[in-house]
Amino acid sequence: DTGVSQNPRHKITKRGQNVTFRCDPISEHNRLYWYRQTLGQGPEFLTYFQNEAQLEKSRLLSDRFSAERPKGSFSTLEIQRTEQGDSAMYLCASKGDSANSPLHFGNGTRLTVT
Amino acid sequence: ILNVEQSPQSLHVQEGDSTNFTCSFPSSNFYALHWYRWETAKSPEALFVMTLNGDEKKKGRISATLNTKEGYSYLYIKGSQPEDSATYLCAFSGNDYKLSFGAGTTVTVRA
């Protein structure tokens, strides 16, 4: 168990550019979650997967955000045409199927849009 | 949008004192309630996952209770130590397995 891995750790991009983040969950975990966290707030739900199926996407998210989990392993989160308001910490977490299974978080990707 | 509320937003505790704070969540379609500790520059770390009404869990000096019928959970810290300083997050999971977080309670323990 090497834990949840996120890359890159930091990303600085100019407004209007596209960015893609990667998350490698714990290998036996079927469920994978993406959250966004800004200063003073708790993690805001973005989307989650069970295996390769995307079960829900936050209604707060614009169409500029998309996520995939091909083959039910790693996941990518893409933001197109970034805006300054997208600057945040993007957290990925995975968990097992049982109700008692906790989330295991990665270290996050800090996005700064200039 | 699910309302998961935590109060207070922050609190300061003298070393050695005990404290507690609240998480309130929807009382319908309950599946699980999670508590996490989040220290600066680290990832959130799981403390408890509770699924049954009346559940009580304990880990060292930290414990939690759960009331699913009225939709609240308490987290207690007994004999606070400086290393307990962190933000404590709760997360509610309904039958759709989505996990929604509160804004957290930031605890600062003064030596």
Side-chain angles (χ1 to χ4, degrees):
Chain A
D1 178 0
T2 57
V4 178
S5 176
Q6 289 189 247
N7 289 288
R9 291 293 303 273
H10 303 275
K11 179 71 178 177
I12 300 174
T13 192
K14 292 186 177 180
R15 189 176 55 192
Q17 298 294 305
N18 300 343
V19 294
T20 300
F21 310 142
R22 177 178 170 126
C23 172
D24 287 271
I26 292 172
S27 57
E28 59 266 30
H29 285 176
N30 292 332
R31 299 186 193 275
L32 185 149
Y33 297 75
W34 283 99
Y35 292 91
R36 177 172 64 187
Q37 194 262 338
T38 53
L39 194 63
Q41 301 297 316
E44 175 192 2
F45 170 81
L46 295 179
T47 189
Y48 79 109
F49 294 84
Q50 180 169 345
N51 299 313
E52 66 276 9
Q54 186 174 18
L55 296 186
E56 187 171 337
K57 179 179 172 181
S58 170
R59 290 189 294 270
L60 299 174
L61 279 191
S62 75
D63 291 340
R64 296 184 298 106
F65 288 72
S66 62
E68 292 182 339
R69 193 182 181 197
K71 303 178 184 177
S73 55
F74 71 91
S75 176
T76 57
L77 177 70
E78 181 182 15
I79 309 174
Q80 296 182 325
R81 304 181 303 282
T82 52
E83 302 173 356
Q84 287 188 319
D86 298 331
S87 296
M89 174 72 84
Y90 290 83
L91 293 167
C92 174
S94 68
K95 73 184 292 292
D97 284 334
S98 82
N100 288 309
S101 176
L103 286 173
H104 295 257
F105 281 88
N107 287 322
T109 294
R110 170 74 65 187
L111 173 66
T112 302
V113 182
T114 61
Chain B
I1 299 176
L2 291 171
N3 283 332
V4 182
E5 310 263 351
Q6 291 189 247
S7 65
Q9 185 176 359
S10 64
L11 59 89
H12 291 78
V13 190
Q14 197 66 36
E15 183 177 0
D17 287 351
S18 297
T19 188
N20 66 84
F21 36 93
T22 310
C23 172
S24 63
F25 51 87
S27 54
S28 58
N29 298 321
F30 178 86
Y31 187 67
L33 193 282
H34 296 220
W35 281 101
Y36 294 84
R37 177 166 59 200
W38 197 359
E39 296 178 67
T40 303
K42 294 186 178 179
S43 308
E45 177 187 331
L47 289 172
F48 308 113
V49 179
M50 295 185 285
T51 59
L52 299 175
N53 184 43
D55 236 356
E56 292 188 25
K57 299 247 178 175
K58 187 175 180 182
K59 188 175 184 177
R61 293 177 292 97
I62 301 177
S63 60
T65 61
L66 179 67
N67 184 323
T68 61
K69 295 189 186 305
E70 296 182 40
Y72 65 84
S73 176
Y74 289 119
L75 192 82
Y76 299 87
I77 304 176
K78 184 178 178 182
S80 303
Q81 299 297 309
E83 59 264 31
D84 296 328
S85 296
T87 295
Y88 292 82
L89 297 165
C90 71
F92 166 83
S93 177
N95 292 333
D96 58 358
Y97 311 122
K98 172 181 163 183
L99 271 155
S100 299
F101 281 84
T105 293
T106 299
V107 174
T108 304
V109 182
R110 296 179 292 220

